[in-house]
Amino acid sequence: MMRKILVFDTTLRDGEQVPGAKLNMYEKVEVAKQLKKLQVDIIEAGFPASSQGDFLAVQEVAKKVGQSDNIIITALARAVKSDIDAVYQSVKLAQNPLIHIVLGTSDIHVEKKFGKSKDQVLNIGVDAVKYAKTLLPAVQYSTEDASRAEFEYLWSTIEAVVKAGATIINVPDTVGFAVPEEFGYLIHRLNDRLKNLDDKVLLSVHCHNDLGMATANTLAAVKNGADKIEVTINGIGERAGNTALEEVVMALKTRSNVYNAVTNINTKEIMNTSRLVSNFMGLDVQVNKAITGDNAFAHSSGIHQDGLLKSRDAYEIISPSDVGLDDMELVLTARSGRHAVKNALEQLGLMPADEKDFEGVFTKFLEIADTKKEVYNHDLYILVENYHALHGNGCERQNMSQHFYELEDFQAIINSTFPSASVKLSKGNESITHSATGSGPVDALYSAITAICGLELELLEYNISSVSRGKEAFGKVKIKVSHKGKSYIAKATDTDIMKASVLAYINAVNSVVVDSL
Ligand code: KIV
Ligand code: ZN
């Protein structure tokens, strides 16, 4: 029998503590709605005593998202009456409200932060729980900095607050100091005593990633009896962040033989949630981030692409569709081997019948890949056509390149009143020019290109960044044809940031065109 692990999401509280990541009320409610779709069990919506804005946002989440049997809404309070009142007032309209109280337990916190005796701090915690219980039946107590606390004092605190009515005990590794073996053992000992004291009280963990071990520590805790995990989307949070929801959930699912535990998470909503949080908070996801990074399901080495094409399980432990992605991505680069290029050509109906011709096409492919970094399907059409034109033989799909757009020239006018742009593209033998205004120069450029292509496109993501320390800018866009499900991601580099942005958009538009051929 699999154990059920409750997922407590603190993206809107610990995650929001990331500098610059503060959300407005609308954004908070949208993220909370998405967390509900993801089927988290508990949403920590904020820290209402911190500001009137946060109080109102938590209240809105309780009203709009908390009207269901399947979700608990909570918010954080220090162990003081005014904080507990603020939490109560903001979450009370939810169907299942919970008060979350935090108070330090390590000697460092007790002596240096509070300047009090251990007994005094313990009593403050007990009084806070007793007060919270007069307001709501469900109260979580977080023993802050538990991983650095003296064990017997930590246990005395837990015993006392459980006797005062706490229904969940949360054990935080507040500064990410713990290591898996030690944290697992701590949870094992606490769980043993807690279940003897009151087996209805849940044991929870909350880990930080300062040593890169938040996921490992959380999993060690689950293995040792934790009933509930505290996590954030993309692992965002204070300093190096919190445990990433997607990592623990997918580890439990993929290695259920080791953990024998399940969550209620709808894993197909993981990517949607990750992107929404990243966009609203303006926090890019590291490209190689486990599960939600851009490259997590992209394969570029020739050896791997060859193996995957023979049998996917050679290099794939999670099906991309399980986290809400369309499919794995075989990125064509200079390191892709013949097998991957053949596969791409076959899918496009471009595979030369003659092996000698394929070798010629492959040599050309490598030349383009060396200059372009990533080769797209429209590049393959052009490449194959040019090859056949040069060698005087026909190919099955001729004159496809006339459908693709190429940049001839562009101009962007940057000013605060009327940002505008003109773009000249070629399509086959045609040259088309269009001008547009926009909310900024990139918006104006994209509007002009969209008008030239006559497609109804939605820009889902746009990003410009530097390529390591060089002078090149790296543009990345994600677009969608309005009213259609599929989205297209494309990239481009150039020393001019506007040109990198334009080329990335044209690459994406050409990917749309390829699909319509
Ligand atoms: O890291 C921490 O200790 C916290 C508590 C409020 C749980 O965020
Ligand atoms: Zn924390």
Side-chain angles (χ1 to χ4, degrees):
M1 173 78 170
M2 294 270 201
R3 280 194 319 127
K4 164 88 194 287
I5 305 298
L6 293 178
V7 176
F8 173 119
D9 183 279
T10 181
T11 304
L12 295 176
R13 199 276 300 166
D14 218 324
E16 222 202 22
Q17 286 171 212
V18 175
K22 186 101 189 78
L23 301 179
N24 61 34
M25 186 191 290
Y26 165 79
E27 292 164 335
K28 252 196 177 190
V29 172
E30 287 306 302
V31 171
K33 283 182 185 163
Q34 181 58 35
L35 291 171
K36 192 175 179 179
K37 265 199 194 166
L38 185 65
Q39 291 173 204
V40 304
D41 300 284
I42 305 166
I43 294 176
E44 184 167 49
F47 181 22
S50 66
S51 72
Q52 180 67 1
D54 208 41
F55 175 90
L56 293 172
V58 174
Q59 203 170 49
E60 206 60 12
V61 170
K63 279 196 264 182
K64 298 242 165 81
V65 186
Q67 303 313 311
S68 150
D69 249 0
N70 306 327
I71 199 142
I72 296 172
I73 307 293
T74 191
L76 185 66
R78 289 163 297 187
V80 292
K81 251 178 146 193
S82 54
D83 276 28
I84 297 170
D85 284 337
V87 170
Y88 171 65
Q89 291 302 336
S90 60
V91 300
K92 69 177 181 189
L93 292 177
Q95 209 160 309
N96 297 298
L98 167 80
I99 294 173
H100 178 192
I101 299 167
V102 61
L103 188 60
T105 49
S106 65
D107 289 359
I108 302 168
H109 279 230
V110 171
E111 287 158 17
K112 298 192 182 150
K113 198 171 116 180
F114 302 123
K116 293 197 186 308
S117 74
K118 284 181 166 173
D119 279 352
Q120 281 172 321
V121 171
L122 190 151
N123 288 331
I124 292 171
V126 167
D127 288 346
V129 172
K130 283 186 178 157
Y131 178 63
K133 287 293 281 190
T134 65
L135 305 170
L136 287 179
V139 175
Q140 164 164 317
Y141 191 86
S142 278
T143 52
E144 193 183 12
D145 207 16
S147 55
R148 292 195 298 169
E150 190 256 309
F151 181 77
E152 288 305 335
Y153 176 66
L154 175 62
W155 171 251
S156 312
T157 304
I158 293 173
E159 191 176 32
V161 296
V162 167
K163 286 183 177 157
T167 51
I168 303 175
I169 295 298
N170 186 37
V171 181
D173 178 27
T174 302
V175 287
F177 179 73
V179 297
E181 296 77 9
E182 169 196 74
F183 197 61
Y185 182 51
L186 173 66
I187 296 306
H188 179 82
R189 286 201 289 168
L190 291 177
N191 190 43
D192 212 34
R193 292 196 189 182
L194 183 63
K195 293 290 150 25
N196 274 322
L197 178 67
D198 184 340
D199 64 3
K200 286 188 287 307
V201 176
L202 297 177
L203 186 58
S204 164
V205 291
H206 174 112
C207 297
H208 277 271
N209 207 29
D210 300 67
L211 292 173
M213 284 192 272
T215 296
N217 286 333
T218 302
L219 289 168
V222 168
K223 185 91 185 137
N224 283 281
D227 306 294
K228 163 178 164 287
I229 54 172
E230 296 201 353
V231 288
T232 60
I233 302 299
N234 299 329
I236 60 168
E238 190 76 23
R239 305 181 310 281
N242 289 58
T243 306
L245 177 146
E246 61 278 6
E247 292 177 14
V248 179
V249 166
M250 292 315 290
L252 293 179
K253 189 172 157 91
T254 311
R255 301 307 313 274
S256 59
N257 60 327
V258 175
Y259 295 104
N260 205 29
V262 283
T263 67
N264 195 37
I265 294 297
N266 174 4
T267 62
K268 290 192 184 302
E269 287 296 332
I270 284 179
M271 286 313 298
N272 283 343
T273 318
S274 162
R275 285 175 181 151
L276 187 79
V277 168
S278 161
N279 287 343
F280 276 160
M281 291 195 165
L283 298 173
D284 287 345
V285 179
Q286 183 185 323
V287 286
N288 59 327
K289 162 89 185 57
I291 316 294
T292 53
D294 268 358
N295 292 349
F297 295 90
H299 306 267
S300 91
S301 120
I303 297 170
H304 289 207
Q305 292 181 341
D306 174 61
L308 281 155
L309 290 167
K310 288 175 178 151
S311 178
R312 288 184 69 144
D313 57 3
Y315 290 101
E316 188 176 272
I317 59 159
I318 299 167
S319 164
S321 65
D322 277 359
V323 298
L325 283 170
D326 292 337
D327 201 356
M328 69 173 176
E329 201 190 335
L330 295 186
V331 184
L332 292 181
T333 69
R335 278 188 290 137
S336 298
R338 287 177 173 71
H339 195 169
V341 176
K342 264 188 190 166
N343 175 66
L345 293 173
E346 265 159 15
Q347 283 187 359
L348 298 172
L350 293 175
M351 182 63 191
D354 188 325
E355 191 61 27
K356 199 171 105 291
D357 282 335
F358 170 72
E359 282 305 317
V361 167
F362 186 65
T363 308
K364 278 278 157 217
F365 164 83
L366 289 178
E367 278 170 25
I368 292 187
D370 268 338
T371 53
K372 244 199 125 177
K373 291 197 164 95
E374 275 188 32
V375 178
Y376 295 91
N377 286 346
H378 65 269
D379 296 317
L380 292 180
Y381 275 109
I382 297 169
L383 185 162
V384 170
E385 247 174 57
N386 288 346
Y387 177 85
H388 288 305
L390 204 67
H391 292 82
N393 42 2
C395 75
E396 211 182 301
R397 307 192 75 182
Q398 298 212 38
N399 292 330
M400 290 301 177
S401 59
Q402 63 177 329
H403 300 287
F404 304 128
Y405 297 93
E406 223 176 302
L407 179 66
E408 285 193 14
D409 208 353
F410 74 95
Q411 185 188 42
I413 298 170
I414 307 171
N415 65 40
S416 49
T417 348
F418 297 116
S420 59
S422 301
V423 180
K424 189 175 178 191
L425 300 184
S426 64
K427 186 186 181 197
N429 297 326
E430 243 184 304
S431 250
I432 319 161
T433 306
H434 198 90
S435 301
T437 53
S439 54
V442 175
D443 185 42
L445 285 163
Y446 287 4
S447 298
I449 298 169
T450 309
I452 291 176
C453 305
L455 293 164
E456 271 188 59
L457 299 175
E458 268 174 54
L459 181 66
L460 302 177
E461 273 175 46
Y462 162 70
N463 192 289
I464 188 91
S465 53
S466 63
V467 177
S468 65
R469 292 176 186 199
K471 288 186 182 161
E472 288 215 309
F474 176 70
K476 183 178 154 200
V477 298
K478 184 174 171 197
I479 60 172
K480 181 174 163 226
V481 182
S482 304
H483 321 300
K484 288 202 182 150
K486 187 166 173 190
S487 52
Y488 301 80
I489 295 179
K491 302 158 194 168
T493 52
D494 199 89
T495 45
D496 175 337
I497 56 168
M498 289 295 162
K499 193 165 176 193
S501 308
V502 167
L503 290 174
Y505 196 72
I506 295 173
N507 278 335
V509 166
N510 281 331
S511 300
V512 175
V513 175
V514 168
D515 265 6
S516 67
L517 291 176

